[in-house]
């Protein structure tokens, strides 16, 4: 060490880069080989399995202080995390509402991380690609090219973006400056009683409160009751509230019901309301040739939330908010602090993408979506959506043909609600179906979830999966009946 280094207490310099890239290269090839096998053999593994105690305990190991070889680290990841997945990439995963990812998207995420760019802003290629993917989303839904938009973490955040612009536009005051307490007439938002729970969180986060979102009853097919909506708006106006926004559902999470978006758009126009569409499930049906008619009217929305990590199967996370009035969108979020001013040329001359949402640093979400769209073309994604909807129809047919099974709601799109019904009622029927669901999971056969529709508990199959085949649905039916029989035979109290 020379005298200067010594004087400043300088230590030998370090980096996170490997000392030997060749070693890392060999290991990386192995990671890729394993990843390809992981996906190509996914069908042969259980959908899900419970973790043994030693795997659970692994996640309580303390903060590592000393180094380990990358090979050893990867070995641990492989034994633990990779071996006990949620299962949503499996062909028989139909719980809640997930996408099933894709390898090209995973490569996109890898490359995005290798480049490591921050999409908060700046003049670089990733920022342009981010804008391009937003433009493609507008095109897919039929929104004008002049609309604004942003990629976000998912549908919940996309809904928050849309509802925030709605609030600020309809508040009648400068909410950003004065806050919601300064709003003269309390704002009211409307959505059906099937509206996703993220809207409640949005209302709370927006400072309007849960009660500012009126849940409007639904008709027999679980679509918003338009007459009830009109009545609620009139009642609120008379009571001194300011009706501000109607949320249309393009695919509800319980059953996939799609509100009459055209009528809602007209009603919003007549009543001077913001028209937001929660299209996390169904907005992308707009690209599906056989079913696009179901979401007609979505192109008239003031804002739309959609979820590329659902029906475009982008690896998590990727949501998108679109706002017809790009100026209103920017006005809701743009702030230019002194440390983020743009310059006429150079790195800081690009668009500041953080002006369209709440995040400052933003990851490069566009690449995984872009690469998969380029590779397959948008038409194939449209056909895959049609395929899932047709599979749900097929499953409904199987259910109707089996006397021990009951279709609780006929599917509109890709969500099927049914139950095993050997002649029970109430809690006993619910307990039986819950047990079937749990055994399907624990035996690694299939992952379903459950819900309650029209007051009836049911098992719920949401087929948002490009790997599902009709034979998987045949198997689900056989196994459901087998388990139902097995459980009822073992239980002295049931028939
Ligand atoms: C999934 C979903 C959401 C929430 O989206 P995330 O991507 O999970 O944040 C909102 N609304 C509906 C209808 C959904 O299906």
């Amino acid at each position: 060490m020379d005298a200067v280094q010594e004087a400043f207490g300088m230590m030998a310099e370090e980096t996170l880069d490997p000392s030997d890239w060749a070693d890392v290269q060999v290991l990386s090839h192995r990671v890729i080989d394993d990843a390809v096998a992981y996906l190509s053999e996914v069908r042969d593994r259980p959908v899900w399995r419970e973790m043994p105690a030693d795997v659970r305990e692994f996640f309580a190991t303390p903060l590592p202080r000393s180094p380990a070889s990358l090979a050893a680290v990867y070995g641990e990841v492989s034994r633990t995390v990779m071996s006990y997945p949620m299962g949503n990439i499996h062909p028989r995963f139909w719980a809640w509402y997930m996408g099933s990812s894709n390898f090209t998207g995973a490569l996109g995420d890898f490359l995005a991380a290798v480049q490591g760019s921050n999409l908060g802003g700046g003049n670089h290629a990733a920022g342009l690609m981010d804008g391009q993917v937003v433009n493609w989303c507008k095109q897919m839904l039929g929104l004008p090219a002049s609309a604004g938009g942003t990629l976000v973490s998912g549908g919940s955040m996309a809904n928050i973006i849309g509802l925030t612009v709605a609030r600020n536009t309809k508040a009648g005051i400068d909410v950003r400056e004065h806050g919601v307490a300064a709003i003269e007439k309390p704002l009211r938002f409307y959505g059906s009683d099937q509206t996703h729970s993220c809207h409640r969180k949005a209302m709370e986060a927006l400072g309007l409160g849960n009660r500012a979102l009126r849940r409007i009853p639904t008709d027999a097919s679980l679509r918003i009751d338009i007459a009830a909506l009109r009545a609620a708006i009139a009642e609120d106006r008379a009571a001194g509230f300011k009706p501000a926004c109607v949320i249309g559902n393009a695919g509800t999470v319980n059953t996939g019901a799609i509100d009459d978006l055209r009528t809602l758009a007209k009603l919003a126009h007549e009543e001077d309301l913001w028209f937001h569409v929660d299209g996390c499930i169904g907005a992308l049906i707009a690209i599906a040739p056989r079913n696009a008619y179901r979401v007609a009217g979505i192109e008239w929305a003031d804002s739309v939330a959609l979820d590329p990590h659902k029906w475009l199967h982008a690896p998590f996370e990727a949501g998108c908010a679109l706002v017809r009035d790009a100026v209103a969108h920017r006005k809701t979020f743009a702030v230019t602090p002194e440390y983020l001013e743009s310059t006429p040329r150079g790195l800081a001359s690009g668009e500041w993408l953080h002006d369209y949402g709440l995040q400052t640093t933003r990851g490069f979400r566009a690449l995984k979506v872009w690469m998969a769209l380029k590779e397959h073309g948008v038409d194939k994604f449209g056909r895959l959506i049609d395929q899932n909807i047709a599979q749900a129809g097929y499953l409904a047919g199987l259910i109707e043909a089996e006397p021990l099974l009951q279709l609780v709601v006929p599917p509109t799109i890709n969500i099927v609600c049914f139950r095993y019904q050997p002649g029970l009622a109430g809690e006993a029927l619910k307990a039986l179906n819950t047990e079937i669901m749990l055994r399907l999971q624990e035996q690694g056969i299939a992952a379903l979830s459950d819900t309650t529709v029209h007051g009836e508990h049911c098992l719920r199959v949401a087929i948002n999966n490009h790997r599902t085949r009709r034979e998987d649905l045949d198997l689900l039916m056989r196994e459901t009946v087998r388990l139902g029989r097995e459980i009822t035979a073992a239980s002295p109290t049931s028939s």
Side-chain angles (χ1 to χ4, degrees), residues 3 27 60 76 110 147 194 256 267 316 356 381-382 390-391 433 471:
L27 181 77
E76 292 193 311
F110 174 72
Q194 298 295 303
L267 181 150
F316 302 134
Y356 296 90
F381 284 94
Q391 285 167 335
N433 278 277
E471 69 218 41

Side-chain angles (χ1 to χ4, degrees), residues 96-98 153-159 194-199 249-254 278-282 305-310 316-320 415 460:
W96 305 300
Y97 205 95
M98 308 273 155
S153 53
S156 304
M157 199 40 82
N159 279 310
Q194 298 295 303
T195 303
H196 192 274
S197 59
C198 72
H199 294 274
N249 280 302
T252 59
V253 67
N254 267 335
D278 181 347
C280 290
I281 287 177
L306 67 145
D307 243 350
H309 65 205
K310 287 177 176 170
F316 302 134
E317 304 164 337
C320 179
I415 300 176
R460 178 177 164 284

